[in-house]
Amino acid sequence: MTSERKRLVHEFSQEIHEATAEGVGDLLTDYYHTDAEWHGPEPINAVEGTDAIADAYWEPLLESFPDLEKNDYILFGGEFEGGEWVCATGNLVGTFENDWLDIPATGHATWLRYGEFHRVEDGKIAETRLLVDVLDVMRQAGYRFVPALAPEVVIPGPTTQDGVLLGEQDEEESEKTLDVVEGMIDGLHDYEEEGLDGMGLETFWHEDFMWYGPAGTGTTRGIDGFQEYHQAPFLTAFPDREGGDHVARFAEGHYCASTGWPSVRATHLGDGWMGLPATEEPVEMRVMDFWRREGDRLAENWVFIDKIDLLQQMGVDVFDRLRDDRQYF
């Protein structure tokens, strides 16, 4: 049954290659329950039902990128608290022919990085949690509103090129992967008492692991790079952060993933992250993580944060700034 659910989601990705704005509504009815829940990034957010999902997300996207492809480079499934889930991450790729979400079209090939979790019931998708790195689409269109400490690149798939798990996987390997990830999450919570050195990253991460972060943060390599360019600035900004409130978390084979809506709650107490002064206001973060285990440690981590939603809570309306900037072009 797990394989059938995974093939359902993967086949939908392949169907998008031939989809049109006019026909995507019919495609959705083939794969989704009519009253399905759909939770997406700011400014789309939550909608319900296949008609609303088409109107709010897929039709505008396909009008803007008519030759769109949806390429999963990680896909696997699992169960969490009674729900049967399939997750995937990869890149949507298309020519940016018409404006999307007020972002000016460039006429160029554009990569839209996505992460998604689908809860499947009775052979169709009943719930979707989806994050697209909208801030990175703005960056590719020439608009940069926050500085990144690390390089912002087109995020690659697994170095092992084995992330699409359509068949059944070894249960012992899956359990081992989940144990490593959950141990790592527990270690992250030791920061409050022992600081960065007390979090035991070397226990859970390969020394030269790759951390693929969202726009406004960038991509880092190794424990030192991760701590210098992401973790230390992030924890300075949000020292009281609490995470792990997941809608779904599961592992299959050497891969694990989780998402929360929100997954992290914190107070913005420190200056400097994304170039912003502390607001001392509470914030919530929609987050997705995908991990690949190699041996006893984690070798790669693909991370999504709904940065536009988070920035709005920190007093920065990215879309207002985008519209202001467009007046001069």
Side-chain angles (χ1 to χ4, degrees), residues 73 90-91 113 152-157 212-213 218-219 302:
Y73 50 60
N91 289 308
R113 183 183 179 221
E152 296 170 299
V153 300
V154 176
I155 303 299
Y212 306 111
T219 288
W302 294 260

Side-chain angles (χ1 to χ4, degrees), residues 290-306:
F290 299 81
W291 297 273
R292 182 180 69 84
R293 176 179 62 83
E294 191 172 289
D296 295 329
R297 293 179 176 86
L298 301 172
E300 295 180 277
N301 183 195
W302 294 260
V303 181
F304 293 81
I305 303 173
D306 191 345

Side-chain angles (χ1 to χ4, degrees), residues 177-216:
T177 302
L178 186 60
D179 287 344
V180 171
V181 168
E182 293 186 337
M184 179 271 299
I185 292 172
D186 289 342
L188 293 178
H189 293 156
D190 292 337
Y191 169 75
E192 287 83 358
E193 296 181 2
E194 303 179 50
L196 286 176
D197 292 339
M199 299 171 81
L201 294 187
E202 67 282 353
T203 303
F204 304 104
W205 298 93
H206 280 276
E207 183 179 357
D208 57 355
F209 81 96
M210 293 301 303
W211 188 87
Y212 306 111

Side-chain angles (χ1 to χ4, degrees), residues 92 96 103-104 106 108-113 133-144 153-154:
L92 294 152
F96 198 174
I103 305 169
T106 64
H108 296 307
T110 301
W111 287 259
L112 297 85
R113 183 183 179 221
D133 197 336
V134 179
L135 195 64
D136 191 60
V137 179
M138 293 182 181
R139 178 190 66 82
Q140 293 177 67
Y143 296 86
R144 184 184 292 275
V153 300
V154 176

Side-chain angles (χ1 to χ4, degrees), residues 2 19 21 30 55 88 114 140 232 273 277 312-313:
T2 301
D30 292 338
D55 290 343
Y114 65 87
Q140 293 177 67
W273 193 63
Q312 189 165 290
Q313 297 173 64

